[in-house]
Amino acid sequence: MIPVPEAETQLLNLTQPLTETELLPFDQAHNRILAKSVISTAPFPYWDNSAMDGYAVRAADVQTAPVTLEVIEEIPAGIPPQKTVQTGQAARIFTGAMLPTGADTIVMQEDTQREGDRVTIQTVPQPQAFVRHQGSFVQPGDIVLRPGCKLGPAELAILATVQCTTVEVYRRPRVAIFSTGDELITPAGELAPGKIVDSNQYALAAFLQQQGATVVPLGIVPDDPKSLREAIATATQQSDLVLSTGGVSVGDYDYIDQLLAELGGEIKIQSVAIKPGKPLTVATFPNCLYLGIPGNPVSALVCCWRFVRLVLQKMSGQAAPWILPWQMVRSRDRLTAGGRRETYLWGQLQGEEFVLSGGSHSSGNLMNLAQTNALAVLPVGITEIEAGAMVRILRV
Ligand code: AMP
Ligand code: MG
């Protein structure tokens, strides 16, 4: 049994980032990982322009106030100025409109009084005030986005701004999933005595979609070595990562570890000091990482949240650091643990406070997992956190 931090380090070391890329229209690249630097070919702002509705003036003309200037034209956004602002003149200008030649300063509308074709400037502006200078944010040739960056709303706006309409991104990781167990049926199956519905397959598929992976669903595999061998072989050939659930404990029908070794997998981890989730198995194949996850529904999801998220960050080409959203918060409730394994208790982060889910914290009880958005973590050696004390949580 290895400690959780060691399992995390090992898992990340065993994860190979994908190198294959694909070209996408930028507006279809949301949440994808950029594979090449994006360089701006133009300056940004594209032109000197006004940050305010007001008047474009020559600062030299407004060294005292009030001063009255002649208004020579009106410049709306998107229309280039037609005239040069000479001494004693101003141009009416709107936010985002190009600064006219001759002017160097914007006086905001609120500091002016307009009468016909004349405007009185009532306060002395700072020279260059409210002018957004061409290229002051980005120069041609500047790198605006770097490889390994995840494309969210801000990055898509940047791509649009620099007119990068096609982007090169890493392909999505392909993740094969299958559920093992003679007791498993599909949600529409007949609930004969002793059976249980395979819920892991749906939890894992949703989790993986959320993480940006392509799911290869391989269904339910019975606890017999022949079927399992076939499933493992198929899964490892078709994917970058395999997540199987169940069959990794020490029960007589838990064959996964043995079969992984038979099929040429190198077993790297067999159990982790985590609760729930102890019998986590990790093996490597030439082009595939295999995670044998315990079958209990809560264990399966906790392993995904604690470990698989990090693996997918690195695998998907995201730049380091690969990190999880940890936080220190106050716990509303008293939290208890056995103290021998790092213990994850599920609940909700409500504002600044962790609220433990009511009901059983058995790893087989997925019912009180609904609406979980955080796991409270009790480290090895800690058996109690009092109500009102601080606790480290992992947001999920
Ligand atoms: P195992 O890890 O195979 O020993 O399974 C541990 C427990 O999780 C058993 O009670 C199983 O019935 C249950 N279980 C295993 N796989 C699934 C699954 N796919 N969906 C729901 N429960 C499962
Ligand atoms: Mg089983």
Side-chain angles (χ1 to χ4, degrees), residues 14-36:
L14 295 171
T15 301
Q16 301 294 328
L18 297 178
T19 52
E20 292 160 68
T21 63
E22 56 185 320
L23 290 174
L24 284 183
F26 86 103
D27 54 355
Q28 286 171 32
H30 184 212
N31 282 334
R32 301 297 296 269
I33 310 299
L34 194 64
K36 289 268 158 60

Side-chain angles (χ1 to χ4, degrees), residues 1 21 40 47 51 73 80 100 115 121 139 188 221 234 242 259 289 319 381:
M1 198 160 73
T21 63
S40 181
W47 341 98
E73 71 169 331
E115 258 173 70
I121 309 297
Q139 289 286 325
V221 181
T234 307
V242 179
L259 292 171
L289 183 63

Side-chain angles (χ1 to χ4, degrees), residues 23 27 70 138 157 180 182 185 234 307 335 342 345 360 373:
L23 290 174
D27 54 355
E70 177 200 359
V138 157
T180 72
D182 287 337
I185 59 166
T234 307
F307 298 119
L335 308 174
E342 191 165 292
L345 298 171
S360 166
N373 66 5

Side-chain angles (χ1 to χ4, degrees), residues 13 85 93 114 122 133 137 150-152 189 199 210 224 256 264 300 312 327 358 369:
N13 287 338
V85 177
I93 198 164
R114 177 75 179 264
Q122 287 164 321
H133 288 103
F137 302 154
K150 188 169 184 174
L151 301 174
S199 60
Q210 200 183 46
D224 82 81
I256 298 277
L312 286 173
Q327 219 171 309
L369 206 55

Side-chain angles (χ1 to χ4, degrees), residues 180-181 183 223 246-247 254:
T180 72
E183 74 278 35
D223 286 320
D254 294 335

Side-chain angles (χ1 to χ4, degrees), residues 341-352:
R341 290 182 272 155
E342 191 165 292
T343 299
Y344 289 69
L345 298 171
W346 45 105
Q348 284 174 32
L349 179 64
Q350 294 181 1
E352 303 272 290

Side-chain angles (χ1 to χ4, degrees), residues 17-186:
L18 297 178
T19 52
E20 292 160 68
T21 63
E22 56 185 320
L23 290 174
L24 284 183
F26 86 103
D27 54 355
Q28 286 171 32
H30 184 212
N31 282 334
R32 301 297 296 269
I33 310 299
L34 194 64
K36 289 268 158 60
S37 290
V38 174
I39 293 169
S40 181
T41 54
F44 188 73
Y46 309 119
W47 341 98
D48 287 350
N49 71 93
S50 175
M52 285 282 171
D53 294 324
Y55 290 85
V57 302
R58 302 163 70 102
D61 287 351
V62 200
Q63 292 184 343
T64 57
V67 62
T68 299
L69 304 170
E70 177 200 359
V71 180
I72 55 165
E73 71 169 331
E74 182 168 302
I75 314 165
I79 310 292
Q82 304 298 307
K83 296 179 178 166
T84 297
V85 177
Q86 313 276 4
T87 301
Q89 297 183 329
R92 176 75 171 122
I93 198 164
F94 297 93
T95 305
M98 279 176 85
L99 194 74
T101 318
D104 53 27
T105 300
I106 303 295
V107 179
M108 61 175 169
Q109 191 169 307
E110 291 83 339
D111 293 340
T112 65
Q113 181 107 43
R114 177 75 179 264
E115 258 173 70
D117 63 356
R118 305 188 79 70
V119 64
T120 301
I121 309 297
Q122 287 164 321
T123 53
V124 178
Q126 286 281 346
Q128 321 270 323
F130 302 121
V131 177
R132 297 189 286 215
H133 288 103
Q134 181 184 56
S136 59
F137 302 154
V138 157
Q139 289 286 325
D142 282 355
I143 295 177
V144 290
L145 295 172
R146 290 176 192 278
C149 125
K150 188 169 184 174
L151 301 174
E155 290 73 22
L156 291 186
I158 292 167
L159 290 171
T161 299
V162 303
Q163 298 188 292
C164 176
T165 52
T166 304
V167 280
E168 187 168 348
V169 296
Y170 291 107
R171 72 164 171 82
R172 292 178 189 275
R174 268 194 297 274
V175 185
I177 56 173
F178 62 92
S179 303
T180 72
D182 287 337
E183 74 278 35
L184 301 179
I185 59 166
T186 61

Side-chain angles (χ1 to χ4, degrees), residues 70 96 141 148 160 171 215 241 249 282 289 341 374 396:
E70 177 200 359
R171 72 164 171 82
V215 182
L241 174 67
S249 301
V282 177
L289 183 63
R341 290 182 272 155
V396 302

